[in-house]
Amino acid sequence: MPTPPKWADQFLVWFVSEDLIEEIQGDLHEAYYARAAKYGRTAANRQFIADVFQFFKPYAFEKYSRAKQFLPMFDNYFKIALRNILHRKGFTAINLLGLTFGISAVMLIGIYLQNELSYDHATPGHDRIHRVMNKYRDQTYTCMAFNGYNETSADSQLMLVNLLDSYDEVETACHFVPTHSPIGGFGQYFLEMDGKRFTVEKALYTNTGAAFQAVFPQRFLAGTPETAFSGFKKIILTETLAERIFGSNWANQDIVGKDITLRGEGFQLGGVVADVPGNVHYSFDFILHQDRIPGWAGYTYFKLKPNQAAAPVLAKLNTDVGKYHPNFVKDELWKGFISVPLTDIHFTNGNLYELKPTANKAYLTTFGIVGLVILLIILTNYTNLSIAMYADRQKELGMRKALGAQSHDISLQLLVEAVLLSLLCAPFVLFLLQYLLPPFSELMGIELGKNILFNGLALLSLLALLLLTGMLSGLYPALAYGSRSMLRLFGKTSTTTANGYFNFRNTLTAVQFTMVVGLLSITYFIYQQMEFVNNMDLGYQKEGVVYFNIDGIEKYRQLEKKLLELPEVEAVGANGVPGPMMLNQLTYKMKDTETTLSDGTEQYFGLGTVKALGLDCEPCAQLAGSKERIFVINRTAAEKLAKVKGVAPDELVGETLVMEPEWENEEFGYGVHHTIDGIIDDYKYFSLKYADQPLLITIAAEPAWAYEMLVRLNTDNWFAAASKIKTAYEAVETERPLEILFLEDRLYRLYADERRSSVLLGGLSLVAIVLALMGLAGIVSYMAFSRQKEIGIRKILGASTGNILLTFNREYLLLMVVSTAVAMPVALWLSSKWLEGFAFRIEPQFWVVLMAGLLALTLVAAVVTLRTRRAAAKHPVETLRAE
Amino acid sequence: MQNLGSLEETILLIILAMDDDAYGFSVSEAYEQHTGKSISISAVHTVMSRLETKGLISSEMGGETAERGGRRKRIFKATPQGVAVIEEIKASRQKLWGLIPGLG
């Protein structure tokens, strides 16, 4: 006799609830035998399996409903939870407010971190793409160049790229340089089309269009990559730029193939691509495909074939490069090429000429930790508040137990409440974030996509975050009240009999305030350092100086003349604007010593720059005589050289210094020789993150070349002055738009990252402290309520209202002292770590932490007093009457 | 009057008609026999448990047989309320039939 398939039968037994299995299995077996007799075994088997799977639904899982009617059920939990949330409006409001602010802050941090950590991850095959970097002297260059790169033929510019391309491991290699980079000069240009002129920025020059498209695929909205990159003299616009030039209906126009002029050269429009997202390491508004790269270096990338490593490619490159550029191998200072994986570029600090500001992993970690701290405060808050709140719900819980609810029923009930409450704040969080995100991304200097909030990932993370918050925060009350015996729930005595001073609740509060005090102090240290940097004597006058790019000395001279005629202009100078990113360094030594130093920075500027900056330059007096130019070194350089030579720094004046002594030439034999005309005081040319660098400066009475122009203004009316400068500029220069910038702004931007962190940390500590105080207010109200009788007895025994208030406050005094004591070493240590990033820095003072502790204590005392005032003032008769 | 779906109504009628031998498998057999349409046993089970929740039928365990491997059946019976509901439905239908000219 046939029997039903065993596995299906066992499966049925496994999933069907005990109450139902007998009848269901019976029915199915009966049906099986009936069918087997009628239609044969195979059909019966098939039908049996189908039947089993058709029973796989909630109906069969559940316990038989009649047996459950007396137990609290899930929808009942839900109903009661909702009722409680609506009933306790004050509690709900405080909790919702705290949750909304806290979760929003955590979400902001999350969005920021996600943006930073996702850099270049959207590029397909990103794990196979590497950038070649050049090690020279003690520095690493992010770009690749060789002597004469700028002048050489188009073919030899491509030599290194072609070499990379020829290796078996390499799929393709590309080469480009964006103008919005230290090499490109960050300039603006005029773009002309059909007689109309547009000011544009961010060009990306590439001489390897097809390879660029293969390594960094751009999405074409008009034209195709094949046609756009076939042949040179092509321009490819981004969507935004196309819209600016052709109007919003550009997509409906026949624009591909149009003629466009840029910097006097003609280009043909090859296509339109989607805008470059913010989280890639390069950016552009348009691509120019031409046979040569204008500039002295380009950024070089290669994409490996699958399952290949970068190291062998670099090894070959370092050997083979000698065949094409013997100079590389001969040059002692050249330390070889290295490579960096595409997704590491954003986190590799300290290299020269990086395209975009890199991320500091320490900052990201800090933000992440602060996010967790806030999350922890939210969790402890809810726990604390609900412990307090459930005090007057004990009878309800006791009644449930009396009616047959088990421990886990009570726990589940309380957990559902916590989760429901945290889910309720989702719409508020979304609402708040919508308004916070634009200013936030501006503050943090990030470009977020349009749909950063309402996409699957963000919404899902929010949901997960809320669920997690709800579960974790509800866990303690759920377990504590679930396991409490019925008698205790009905009992009249205080529920949370504290086990010693450091019970669970007090520990939570102490942890919260440790974090608050730590955050506050660190924020203050950062603020102090920023102020210090801002007010430091830089050795020149940064106020009232503007600067802009200029193309060549001819235009400089014409404009200098015009500007000096303006009454608002005090001085005009060529080159030498302070506050650049780190520059490439060179080697130098005294002619009669052997030791070569390698950390020199060469400077060339006009006497006008000295005047415009107000530099203290005694040797400059020599320029008033017959001398056309003088060579000076700063104090740091003088001290270094004097130490090598074994003389006093001032004795170097009149001696000969050799720059780049390893360079052989006809004029001097080796290096470039300069007679030192004087020594000037150190001035802070670079960011204050770096110690004073040795500067080797040539100052010319009449500069022989110029690429940037400084103007010192003696007026407060910047707008009027700027418009006059603009008029003068436009009379001289018609090819390039004017972009006037303030020196103060440039110096300010040097610390943008640090300032950003201080503002963010400040904002977050504010959120943290408000949340912590809210939580405290909740507990204290509850404590005052549950200790009413104690207060009554104390009063009868002679305590005044003031005494009572003091009793409550004293309890928190010790907590705050402990918090401050714990926060102090941590905050001091973390701040010193952070301050190590600055060569010129403040010393973190311990009293700042004390003040933060005191501030927190004051706020705590205010909250405690406010919340206990009423209980303390109550007449003892009212509280003790019931006995 | 309680709302009844058409499947619920049919199953309730079958249970009434089968008198004391209505259980999952037998009802599904009867359904197929009387309506000519096939129905899965699990669908019958869900409908009957729904009817039971509504209080229109009641059940008890009993009647084990050899072909069920000694397992008992859950035998369903209509409650007085169930009978009342089905009669009410019949009455209201008949009233409607009566209103159709040339038929009733």
Side-chain angles (χ1 to χ4, degrees):
Chain A
M1 192 168 134
T3 50
K6 234 186 166 125
W7 63 269
D9 205 30
Q10 275 167 355
F11 178 58
L12 185 77
V13 174
W14 174 73
F15 75 78
V16 173
S17 83
E18 266 175 52
D19 303 315
L20 289 174
I21 186 64
E22 185 173 10
E23 52 193 278
I24 289 178
Q25 204 180 18
D27 274 356
L28 290 191
H29 278 234
E30 194 178 338
Y32 177 81
Y33 296 122
R35 284 182 195 132
K38 215 162 158 190
Y39 309 110
R41 186 181 172 165
T42 333
N45 276 355
R46 201 173 47 228
Q47 192 58 48
F48 183 82
I49 294 167
D51 278 342
V52 166
F53 279 98
Q54 271 161 355
F55 266 107
F56 194 74
K57 56 187 175 186
Y59 155 76
F61 309 148
E62 271 177 40
K63 292 188 173 160
Y64 202 59
S65 54
R66 285 176 311 174
K68 282 191 65 186
Q69 272 166 9
F70 269 83
L71 291 173
M73 283 168 296
F74 202 75
D75 57 342
N76 176 264
Y77 298 154
F78 187 78
K79 200 183 278 172
I80 299 293
L82 206 62
R83 227 180 255 168
N84 268 317
I85 286 171
L86 292 176
H87 177 59
R88 287 159 223 279
K89 292 200 176 64
F91 173 77
T92 306
I94 289 191
N95 247 331
L96 271 187
L97 208 67
L99 272 174
T100 305
F101 277 115
I103 297 281
S104 301
V106 173
M107 281 297 283
L108 282 182
I109 296 179
I111 288 172
Y112 176 69
L113 290 184
Q114 149 74 14
N115 181 68
E116 291 298 302
L117 295 175
S118 66
Y119 251 74
D120 292 310
H121 277 271
T123 307
H126 56 78
D127 50 339
R128 290 191 278 137
I129 304 174
H130 298 257
R131 178 207 265 172
V132 182
M133 306 207 288
N134 194 6
K135 278 180 98 79
Y136 197 74
R137 294 197 187 89
D138 301 332
Q139 296 175 306
T140 302
Y141 293 66
T142 54
C143 46
M144 244 168 101
F146 40 81
N147 256 343
Y149 178 90
N150 204 2
E151 292 82 35
T152 192
S153 70
D155 280 346
S156 43
Q157 266 195 346
L158 275 175
M159 204 94 77
L160 290 170
V161 183
N162 288 340
L163 196 55
L164 278 169
D165 231 347
S166 69
Y167 296 138
D168 286 339
E169 296 91 340
V170 175
E171 199 171 276
T172 181
C174 74
H175 192 58
F176 65 76
V177 62
T179 58
H180 199 74
S181 71
I183 292 180
F186 295 102
Q188 294 185 337
Y189 308 97
F190 286 128
L191 183 151
E192 281 164 83
M193 192 210 59
D194 293 346
K196 278 180 286 178
R197 211 173 208 206
F198 303 89
T199 304
V200 292
E201 220 170 17
K202 302 193 186 174
L204 181 136
Y205 280 99
T206 179
N207 50 1
T208 52
F212 175 75
Q213 175 68 18
V215 179
F216 301 107
Q218 307 296 325
R219 194 160 56 87
F220 273 74
L221 306 172
T224 62
E226 290 76 25
T227 53
F229 290 119
S230 73
F232 294 116
K233 293 271 165 196
K234 290 281 175 67
I235 181 168
I236 292 118
L237 308 178
T238 54
E239 203 180 347
T240 307
L241 187 57
E243 202 177 303
R244 233 181 86 203
I245 295 177
F246 298 102
S248 54
N249 66 338
W250 62 268
N252 302 325
Q253 301 171 30
D254 191 18
I255 55 173
V256 175
K258 278 218 170 226
D259 288 323
I260 287 175
T261 311
L262 191 99
R263 294 169 110 173
E265 283 181 70
F267 290 88
Q268 199 186 28
L269 182 59
V272 177
V273 295
D275 287 344
V276 187
N279 57 350
V280 291
H281 78 283
Y282 59 87
S283 73
F284 62 81
D285 294 334
F286 55 103
I287 303 173
L288 295 167
H289 188 220
Q290 58 178 39
D291 56 349
R292 298 193 73 252
I293 297 255
W296 58 269
Y299 298 83
T300 308
Y301 303 78
F302 61 90
K303 186 174 186 175
L304 293 165
K305 287 178 183 158
N307 306 320
Q308 295 290 345
V313 175
L314 265 296
K316 280 196 225 172
L317 184 67
N318 281 323
T319 334
D320 294 348
V321 69
K323 290 183 213 157
Y324 301 93
H325 294 280
N327 288 345
F328 266 111
V329 193
K330 268 197 274 171
D331 191 340
E332 279 173 31
L333 299 173
W334 184 63
K335 306 279 164 54
F337 293 121
I338 56 168
S339 72
V340 58
L342 179 65
T343 44
D344 287 354
I345 290 178
H346 188 56
F347 302 104
T348 314
N349 300 310
N351 295 328
L352 287 177
Y353 310 128
E354 186 51 76
L355 289 172
K356 272 191 181 180
T358 51
N360 190 330
K361 271 210 167 146
Y363 286 174
L364 298 189
T365 318
T366 312
F367 294 152
I369 291 174
V370 173
L372 286 181
V373 165
I374 292 196
L375 202 57
L376 208 62
I377 294 183
I378 305 174
L379 294 183
T380 48
N381 252 2
Y382 183 87
T383 310
N384 269 339
L385 277 174
S386 33
I387 293 174
M389 208 254 329
Y390 291 145
D392 59 331
R393 270 185 69 187
Q394 297 201 52
K395 289 214 174 75
E396 176 207 324
L397 299 178
M399 189 54 86
R400 283 174 177 274
K401 281 212 161 176
L403 287 175
Q406 302 290 311
S407 290
H408 67 257
D409 292 312
I410 299 286
S411 298
L412 210 58
Q413 161 82 63
L414 297 184
L415 215 52
V416 166
E417 259 172 55
V419 171
L420 192 66
L421 191 70
S422 83
L423 286 181
L424 265 183
C425 80
F428 298 105
V429 171
L430 286 174
F431 181 79
L432 195 63
L433 281 182
Q434 252 198 317
Y435 286 92
L436 285 181
L437 267 176
F440 175 75
S441 49
E442 202 175 308
L443 167 75
M444 300 309 288
I446 51 176
E447 287 169 48
L448 295 172
K450 282 170 198 134
N451 268 332
I452 191 69
L453 203 52
F454 291 97
N455 66 42
L457 182 70
L459 290 180
L460 220 60
S461 336
L462 176 63
L463 191 69
L465 191 63
L466 290 174
L467 277 177
L468 189 79
T469 313
M471 303 251 242
L472 286 178
S473 59
L475 203 59
Y476 177 78
L479 294 179
Y481 281 90
S483 61
R484 192 156 289 170
S485 75
M486 214 194 298
L487 272 178
R488 261 186 85 194
L489 286 171
F490 278 124
K492 278 195 160 185
T493 42
S494 166
T495 48
T496 42
T497 36
N499 320 315
Y501 186 66
F502 281 99
N503 54 15
F504 186 69
R505 219 183 39 230
N506 274 350
T507 313
L508 284 187
T509 312
V511 169
Q512 279 192 353
F513 278 94
T514 306
M515 296 187 280
V516 165
V517 171
L519 267 180
L520 272 179
S521 330
I522 292 174
T523 309
Y524 187 76
F525 287 133
I526 299 179
Y527 167 79
Q528 249 189 331
Q529 171 68 15
M530 288 297 107
E531 282 299 291
F532 173 78
V533 159
N534 229 6
N535 299 328
M536 186 156 174
D537 179 13
L538 301 171
Y540 58 86
Q541 295 290 313
K542 61 180 174 180
E543 295 85 8
V545 177
V546 296
Y547 69 98
F548 45 88
N549 287 343
I550 188 87
D551 273 349
I553 190 64
E554 280 311 312
K555 286 172 180 164
Y556 171 79
R557 288 211 179 107
Q558 292 170 33
L559 189 53
E560 183 188 37
K561 201 165 148 251
K562 280 178 187 287
L563 290 182
L564 284 174
E565 286 166 9
L566 297 175
E568 291 90 347
V569 171
E570 204 168 290
V572 179
N575 314 335
V577 180
M581 292 198 225
M582 209 49 167
L583 300 177
N584 45 325
Q585 296 168 340
L586 49 74
T587 48
Y588 60 103
K589 67 179 201 100
M590 295 310 291
K591 196 182 172 195
D592 46 8
T593 59
E594 280 307 307
T595 315
T596 302
L597 301 167
S598 65
D599 55 356
T601 300
E602 192 184 2
Q603 286 280 297
Y604 178 92
F605 49 74
L607 188 57
T609 301
V610 176
K611 287 183 191 152
L613 290 176
L615 281 176
D616 189 9
C617 176
E618 217 177 297
C620 288
Q622 300 169 34
L623 289 170
S626 57
K627 265 198 152 173
E628 270 178 28
R629 59 196 174 91
I630 55 168
F631 178 78
V632 297
I633 57 178
N634 69 349
R635 184 66 49 192
T636 305
E639 273 163 13
K640 281 198 155 192
L641 288 166
K643 201 176 159 203
V644 171
K645 210 179 164 192
V647 296
D650 290 323
E651 287 174 46
L652 293 174
V653 177
E655 302 275 319
T656 304
L657 179 141
V658 183
M659 275 202 272
E660 301 197 81
E662 61 283 347
W663 179 51
E664 286 177 39
N665 58 71
E666 287 176 10
E667 195 183 349
F668 298 106
Y670 65 95
V672 183
H673 294 203
H674 291 282
T675 308
I676 299 173
D677 293 312
I679 296 166
I680 63 167
D681 284 340
D682 285 329
Y683 70 98
K684 312 292 182 230
Y685 180 67
F686 292 108
S687 155
L688 294 172
K689 289 179 199 168
Y690 310 113
D692 283 320
Q693 303 286 317
L695 297 180
L696 317 171
I697 311 167
T698 305
I699 303 175
E702 288 293 332
W705 49 274
Y707 61 92
E708 60 188 5
M709 200 158 175
L710 289 97
V711 180
R712 166 164 291 284
L713 302 170
N714 56 11
T715 167
D716 284 336
N717 193 349
W718 311 115
F719 285 110
S723 79
K724 283 189 186 177
I725 293 176
K726 191 164 197 267
T727 317
Y729 176 91
E730 277 166 358
V732 173
E733 171 68 275
T734 51
E735 295 300 310
R736 262 185 106 170
L738 173 70
E739 203 182 353
I740 301 188
L741 298 163
F742 278 95
L743 178 58
E744 272 188 287
D745 286 346
R746 168 145 151 168
L747 298 178
Y748 194 80
R749 277 201 303 274
L750 287 178
Y751 316 104
D753 225 19
E754 286 72 20
R755 194 164 282 113
R756 224 169 255 163
S757 336
S758 84
V759 176
L760 185 63
L761 277 186
L764 292 176
S765 14
L766 201 69
V767 172
I769 197 163
V770 168
L771 287 177
L773 288 175
M774 268 164 60
L776 187 73
I779 310 170
V780 171
S781 321
Y782 156 69
M783 294 278 288
F785 173 77
S786 67
R787 284 173 63 181
Q788 281 187 58
K789 290 210 175 81
E790 180 200 324
I791 296 170
I793 293 169
R794 278 173 190 274
K795 283 201 137 182
I796 287 171
L797 293 177
S800 69
T801 305
N803 288 143
I804 304 286
L805 287 177
L806 211 60
T807 318
F808 276 106
N809 275 307
R810 197 180 298 140
E811 207 159 300
Y812 286 97
L813 179 68
L814 182 60
L815 273 189
M816 298 310 293
V817 170
V818 172
S819 298
T820 311
V822 176
M824 171 115 43
V826 181
L828 288 179
W829 182 75
L830 284 175
S831 326
S832 342
K833 270 269 160 234
W834 179 79
L835 284 164
E836 272 170 25
F838 285 85
F840 301 92
R841 57 180 179 244
I842 54 155
E843 195 60 43
Q845 302 289 334
F846 73 95
W847 56 261
V848 170
V849 189
L850 284 187
M851 292 304 284
L854 204 63
L855 175 69
L857 179 64
T858 317
L859 290 171
V860 166
V863 166
V864 170
T865 311
L866 274 175
R867 304 303 301 189
T868 47
R869 204 183 27 175
R870 207 185 306 157
K874 241 184 198 169
H875 200 279
V877 165
E878 282 176 56
T879 47
L880 295 173
R881 191 168 41 192
E883 297 286 302
Chain B
M1 185 184 115
Q2 260 174 306
N3 266 330
L4 276 194
S6 102
L7 184 61
E8 285 174 351
E9 189 188 329
T10 319
I11 301 264
L12 183 54
L13 282 169
I14 290 173
I15 292 172
L16 278 164
M18 288 181 75
D19 189 33
D20 277 5
D21 196 30
Y23 61 97
F25 173 62
S26 68
V27 170
S28 79
E29 288 279 271
Y31 181 90
E32 276 167 37
Q33 199 186 328
H34 292 303
T35 64
K37 286 182 278 185
S38 75
I39 187 168
S40 76
I41 297 177
S42 83
V44 173
H45 271 257
T46 16
V47 170
M48 291 200 300
S49 89
R50 223 182 296 149
L51 287 173
E52 194 173 15
T53 326
K54 289 180 179 175
L56 303 182
I57 55 178
S58 66
S59 69
E60 59 189 32
M61 302 296 284
E64 59 231 65
T65 57
E67 62 263 39
R68 296 174 66 90
R71 293 181 190 85
R72 287 178 298 161
K73 311 161 180 171
R74 184 179 289 280
I75 309 276
F76 289 90
K77 250 194 245 159
T79 60
Q81 204 190 342
V83 177
V85 164
I86 211 79
E87 275 174 350
E88 215 174 319
I89 292 173
K90 190 185 170 195
S92 72
R93 292 278 156 83
Q94 234 147 24
K95 218 158 116 197
L96 282 171
W97 279 108
L99 293 177
I100 303 173
L103 268 173

